Amino acid sequence: MPGMADVTGDSFSASLIRGAFLAQTRWKAMKSRTARRYMELHALSASLELFKPGAVVPWVSYLFPTELLASYGITPMIPEIGAATLTGTDLRGPVESAADRMPLARDVCSYHRIALAAVENDMLPAPTMCLGTTPLCLGKECLLEMLALRYDAPFREIRVPLPPDEVEASSEVVADVAEQMRVLHEDIGRWTGRKPDLKKAIGLSNRASAAWGRVMAERLAGRLEMNGRRTFATVFLGQLLWGTEEGARDFERLLTERGRSDLLAPALDEGRRLKRLLWLHTVPHHDSEIFEMMERRGAVVIFEEMGQMHLETVDPDDPFPGLARRLTDNVLWGSSTRRARLNVALAKRLKVDGAVHFNHWGCRHGLGSLPVVRSAFVEAGIPFLAIDGDALGRGGAQQEKSRQAMESFLELL
Amino acid sequence: MPYCYYTCNLLPLGLIARAGYTPRWLGSRLVDANAPARREALSIHPMTCPYVTKLVAAADALFAGSAGGEAEERRSGPPSEASCDRGGAAGAAGAAGAAGAAEAAGAAEAAASSTQTRDLTGALRGDLGGSSDDCLVVPGGCDAARRMGDLLAATYPELVFVLSMPRSAGPEAVKTLAADLRRLEDRLLTRGAMTPAHDPKPGLAPGTAPSVDYPAVPRPGGVFVVAGPLTDDSLLRLIGRLGAHVSGLESCTSPDRWRPLATLDYAAPPAPGQTADAAVAAGAAGRDHGDLAAKMLETGMCPRRSTTQRRAHLGRRLDESRPASIIYARQSFCDPGAYDALLMAQLARERGLPFLEIEVDFPFEANGPLLTRVEAFLEAQLLDDDLLDRLDDRLDDGLDDGLDDDLGDTALS
């Protein structure tokens, strides 16, 4: 059985194994015909291209406007997605061992720690450019710029001021961010020697946004209930595909019953009403036990905070302000008070029975806002639980403790 | 004058003093860790750096009015040096600001008399009219510091000002910081502070800034110490006690950093005797916050800053200090510190210098295991030096003998 190491090599045999592996993934997608499976296929297929010799490999932050890369036909390498993917394969053991040997402190975000260990041990391709954004955290900017220095690659950061708590970012701020994007888009062309087609990339991104926006509107209106964990996993991978033909088609698949059939929340069980929960922050990617336990206990995550992105289309003739607005007013950016306000409003709109905050290992951004978010939920009378864990973890004492906390929480609900 | 506490010395103290406040580092007001916690004390996630954890506790104790010492201090004037916290930074003349100890004592007495008749909690929480009201400025450089500001601002909305700090020092970053500084100054003025004082060097008054200094003049061939915030020089003294000397200290509280920052001020201050209202009415006229912001960013080259610039800064400092080894004292759960330690380790490798990374608490405490590690590290070097000295002596002897032989040969010929 070929493993991840076999499909990422640059030998002839590796390319054969890669072809066979992708054919198998394609077969699965064709059989299911769901957006989720196709998204997996296309994200994997595009990412494997990054391992080929001479590939342009832009390491970018999670919220980076990837349309700027799609304009040049370039696939992004997002450290969080790379780390989550690797730790779900047979490379988990080697990459974890490599991370343990690394001199980087163990209390750093595990997404970034694993990504660094992976690139330094040839499990992820080395960057040819590193492109950051101030949102969401400082840690990944430190990682990206350090990688740029080590691999002698250019580094750019889109500087995004914090938005006000109560209103949208000002038009001056949006214009400043838009200008930074415009310059960066030109820089990418200069570095790669490729010709851009931003209008096409934006058109494709808009198709995906329109579809995703409709799905989210249906979910917010309560007419569509989707499994928040699986939906997040799908959107998480989808970050690699904004602005591509595949991305547009995959997000549009979500508009059909068949296309979203494996993302739907469990149906009501013998007249019992399921407890509906809002999930805040990232999810444990490889530890499904807690979610299975929730379903056994009659609860389900019906909405995820991090899925709220790319909900509006942007002007293809003047795309930079629209792309900038997605960063300046991202729901996860800004002060803790802003995050708390938006999430409480979301919970009220969805009429959830409770909210769960996942305290991802080493995430100062998420953990730091927890006290304010918690007190806002308590004040609003919405049951709230914060559980500690590692988004890349699998089992262990911490997971067990979180599972028990979740069990008690569900009993209280 | 009321106190304007601050959490990080990346702040122009002159601006604060001109607005009618005595600047005071919150790090000198730490709460006794062994004291029983208040039931309603703010709680933050344990995976937060000790600096932020302790400062949140200190601010909460001050503003919630449960800091008995603070209330007591207001009743009896500023504390004596002997009664200061472990750092000794909260000196008697903490209120000095402009006019020396006598005026400072007078100002503190005036503040005390106005506070005596009121409940401190009420005064600090709500009534903002009095000049005796203290406030807090939180420069949000890293995620943890920013979230600390969020939490304190959410809890004490009228008393806390969060100042965003950029990573880069580009023109737009300077512009944004300048605007934020102007907002900070306006807010301090409109809070009903007293007539702006006009002390050219308010930051140098004891108690206003971190007071760490070199116990002995740094000289080449010793240990270069990199650390986060320190309350005192105990880490440097520890190195001295272990038989080594210090070649330099790179820390946000090192004298090389806080001295230039403490004397920062804008070029054109308001006219002498100008009232708060008049100063506010004057608006931005004559106040060059842009220049101030640029100087702040130039001086405050801390780990959260651009990796490229930080690397150049550290390289320069090493070249100037010419140390024989490097000790990196990193606080646990500090992201910028974690990546900075990697950077420093690389610089050490490039220069062939022994490197030790230790994890420290705030305030610094030389506990058993840490002491053993530092001791072993320094002993190994002293041993190396000793061996090298002896080897040098032997080589010199050998060379001299050879030279004598050569000369002898020459003479014979």
Side-chain angles (χ1 to χ4, degrees):
Chain A
M1 188 67 185
M4 195 65 186
D6 301 303
V7 297
T8 56
D10 56 11
S11 63
F12 177 65
S13 64
S15 74
L16 286 178
I17 295 171
R18 189 158 50 230
F21 178 69
L22 285 177
Q24 190 191 30
T25 315
R26 187 180 303 278
W27 172 243
K28 276 187 194 166
M30 286 166 69
K31 261 203 324 190
S32 71
R33 284 166 51 203
T34 62
R36 181 178 164 220
R37 290 290 181 198
Y38 270 107
M39 205 90 87
E40 283 171 5
L41 165 70
H42 293 134
L44 194 61
S45 172
S47 297
L48 287 176
E49 292 292 310
L50 297 174
F51 288 86
K52 289 185 176 172
V56 177
V57 185
W59 277 62
V60 306
S61 68
Y62 183 67
L63 291 185
F64 185 82
T66 54
E67 292 85 352
L68 302 187
L69 297 166
S71 166
Y72 294 98
I74 301 171
T75 303
M77 168 68 231
I78 300 177
E80 289 84 356
I81 298 179
T85 308
L86 278 186
T87 46
T89 69
D90 56 326
L91 284 180
R92 183 183 181 88
V95 79
E96 281 186 339
S97 303
D100 287 344
R101 290 192 302 271
M102 232 174 19
L104 181 65
R106 286 168 191 236
D107 52 48
V108 163
C109 163
S110 56
Y111 281 126
H112 303 146
R113 210 176 131 70
I114 289 288
L116 179 61
V119 69
E120 291 201 332
N121 290 274
D122 299 323
M123 289 179 247
L124 285 177
T128 51
M129 63 181 86
C130 293
L131 311 172
T133 54
T134 346
L136 291 168
C137 69
L138 178 63
K140 57 106 184 59
E141 294 302 277
C142 293
L143 169 73
L144 290 174
E145 194 170 359
M146 191 193 65
L147 285 176
L149 268 175
R150 283 195 183 181
Y151 291 92
D152 197 21
F155 171 77
R156 290 285 188 281
E157 179 182 62
I158 301 176
R159 196 182 48 80
V160 185
L162 292 164
D165 282 352
E166 300 294 334
V167 292
E168 286 187 332
S170 70
S171 53
E172 290 82 26
V173 165
V174 173
D176 170 34
V177 175
E179 177 59 14
Q180 293 179 60
M181 287 184 180
R182 192 191 60 72
V183 173
L184 178 56
H185 182 248
E186 281 177 10
D187 284 344
I188 296 168
R190 217 180 50 248
W191 295 330
T192 59
R194 298 187 186 190
K195 283 197 172 157
D197 192 348
L198 188 56
K199 195 162 185 172
K200 183 183 170 195
I202 294 295
L204 292 167
S205 175
N206 277 347
R207 273 175 54 194
S209 284
W212 180 236
R214 258 180 71 188
V215 169
M216 289 296 268
E218 290 294 297
R219 293 176 77 192
L220 283 169
R223 290 188 289 268
L224 178 63
E225 290 208 336
M226 292 170 76
N227 178 315
R229 186 203 176 208
R230 282 195 198 153
T231 306
F232 172 68
T234 307
V235 179
F236 189 63
L237 274 182
Q239 277 296 95
L240 301 174
L241 300 171
W242 292 103
T244 67
E245 180 68 44
E246 291 80 7
R249 276 193 273 122
D250 294 345
F251 274 103
E252 283 171 348
R253 279 192 176 91
L254 287 172
L255 296 174
T256 67
E257 293 277 337
R258 175 81 187 232
R260 59 175 180 250
S261 58
D262 54 359
L263 292 177
L264 295 177
L268 292 178
D269 178 20
E270 296 165 3
R272 269 195 316 148
R273 186 181 169 275
L274 286 169
K275 299 289 179 196
R276 301 155 71 255
L277 302 176
L278 169 64
W279 191 273
L280 306 180
H281 208 312
T282 187
V283 299
H285 297 281
H286 310 306
D287 198 348
S288 58
E289 200 186 315
I290 198 164
F291 294 93
E292 287 162 5
M293 183 272 288
M294 283 163 71
E295 286 191 20
R296 282 199 304 276
R297 296 258 172 178
V300 64
V301 174
I302 57 130
F303 208 90
E304 65 292 340
E305 178 190 25
M306 289 191 72
Q308 301 173 92
M309 53 200 302
H310 284 72
L311 301 180
E312 300 90 21
T313 58
V314 299
D315 180 357
D317 294 319
D318 184 20
F320 296 112
L323 293 174
R325 182 67 77 182
R326 283 179 181 169
L327 276 181
T328 57
D329 292 327
N330 188 287
V331 289
L332 288 149
W333 189 223
S335 73
S336 304
T337 301
R338 180 177 188 264
R339 185 176 178 221
R341 179 178 64 79
L342 292 173
N343 277 320
V344 167
L346 182 64
K348 283 180 177 171
R349 188 168 176 188
L350 290 163
K351 297 186 181 72
V352 292
D353 297 291
V356 180
H357 190 284
F358 185 69
N359 300 337
H360 170 55
W361 178 271
C363 178
R364 321 288 171 225
H365 175 83
L367 298 179
S369 60
L370 180 61
V372 177
V373 173
R374 178 194 276 125
S375 65
F377 272 89
V378 169
E379 202 173 304
I382 301 168
F384 182 88
L385 172 73
I387 51 171
D388 289 342
D390 183 344
L392 304 181
R394 194 182 273 169
Q398 186 58 62
Q399 256 83 346
E400 178 56 24
K401 210 173 135 194
S402 298
R403 199 185 60 77
Q404 287 171 1
M406 177 64 82
E407 224 163 356
S408 307
F409 181 65
L410 295 177
E411 272 172 26
L412 279 173
L413 286 181
Chain B
M1 280 203 289
Y3 291 130
C4 175
Y5 292 94
Y6 60 93
T7 56
C8 158
N9 64 348
L10 196 49
L11 206 62
L13 301 188
L15 180 146
I16 289 172
R18 283 185 197 291
Y21 288 81
T22 298
R24 196 167 186 190
W25 184 43
L26 189 59
S28 62
R29 299 294 306 166
L30 299 184
V31 175
D32 179 4
N34 298 318
R38 288 181 304 116
R39 215 160 62 95
E40 67 280 18
L42 291 175
S43 71
I44 53 176
H45 197 275
M47 202 180 250
T48 308
C49 79
Y51 183 62
V52 165
T53 307
K54 304 277 169 62
L55 290 194
V56 166
D60 192 29
L62 277 172
F63 292 156
S66 69
E70 178 74 359
E72 193 55 39
E73 172 193 331
R74 288 197 170 278
R75 286 180 182 87
S76 58
S80 68
E81 200 68 55
S83 71
C84 291
D85 297 332
R86 47 179 298 125
E103 279 184 41
E109 273 170 27
S113 64
S114 68
T115 316
Q116 271 176 336
T117 54
R118 291 192 296 168
D119 168 55
L120 185 67
T121 310
L124 290 171
R125 273 186 191 277
D127 176 8
L128 305 173
S131 62
S132 61
D133 286 339
D134 296 348
C135 64
L136 172 69
V137 180
V138 184
C142 65
D143 289 332
R146 188 160 60 82
R147 290 313 196 191
M148 163 169 62
D150 286 353
L151 172 61
L152 293 171
T155 314
Y156 306 105
E158 300 302 325
L159 306 179
V160 178
F161 187 95
V162 186
L163 184 69
S164 281
M165 298 301 301
R167 273 191 90 219
S168 67
E172 286 303 320
V174 169
K175 206 171 116 186
T176 308
L177 180 58
D180 286 342
L181 285 173
R182 189 173 293 121
R183 278 198 306 121
L184 167 65
E185 188 177 30
D186 289 346
R187 181 155 163 200
L188 290 177
L189 286 166
T190 50
R191 278 197 72 226
M194 300 189 304
T195 305
H198 292 283
D199 176 18
K201 290 177 183 174
L204 290 180
T208 59
S211 64
V212 178
D213 213 335
Y214 293 105
V217 179
R219 56 195 163 92
V223 184
F224 188 86
V225 179
V226 189
L230 298 169
T231 51
D232 57 27
D233 61 1
S234 52
L235 174 59
L236 308 182
R237 285 187 184 280
L238 170 71
I239 290 166
R241 278 205 308 277
L242 295 174
H245 66 271
V246 173
S247 290
L249 168 65
E250 175 63 31
S251 154
C252 50
T253 47
S254 77
D256 317 80
R257 182 78 60 78
W258 70 257
R259 278 213 178 94
L261 281 169
T263 50
L264 267 188
D265 202 349
Y266 49 70
Q274 192 176 22
T275 62
D277 286 348
V280 173
R287 294 185 283 154
D288 188 358
H289 293 89
D291 184 48
L292 193 58
K295 281 182 190 153
M296 273 171 69
L297 293 175
E298 189 188 321
T299 315
M301 193 53 71
C302 53
R304 72 184 172 79
R305 293 291 302 280
S306 153
T307 315
T308 315
Q309 290 171 345
R310 170 77 175 167
R311 185 188 155 86
H313 170 77
L314 289 175
R316 202 165 42 245
R317 289 232 49 205
L318 287 177
D319 292 343
E320 286 163 3
S321 311
R322 287 181 285 137
S325 63
I326 300 170
I327 292 181
Y328 200 112
R330 187 187 79 95
Q331 286 195 26
S332 50
F333 308 116
C334 172
D335 273 0
Y339 288 99
D340 197 50
L342 280 187
L343 189 66
M344 202 60 188
Q346 196 186 350
L347 287 169
R349 264 197 312 277
E350 288 168 8
R351 287 163 169 75
L353 298 175
F355 176 83
L356 174 71
E357 183 181 340
I358 49 174
E359 200 173 281
V360 298
D361 199 355
F362 178 81
F364 173 77
E365 221 171 319
N367 58 29
L370 187 139
L371 193 65
T372 309
R373 287 191 67 200
V374 176
E375 202 169 14
F377 177 73
L378 294 178
E379 263 179 18
Q381 277 175 75
L382 292 174
L383 194 65
D384 283 352
D385 289 347
D386 198 30
L387 285 173
L388 281 172
D389 285 347
R390 269 187 269 163
L391 189 65
D392 280 349
D393 291 345
R394 280 184 195 173
L395 280 171
D396 287 346
D397 290 347
L399 201 64
D400 289 347
D401 290 347
L403 199 63
D404 287 346
D405 291 346
D406 290 347
L407 288 171
D409 290 346
T410 313
L412 283 174
S413 63

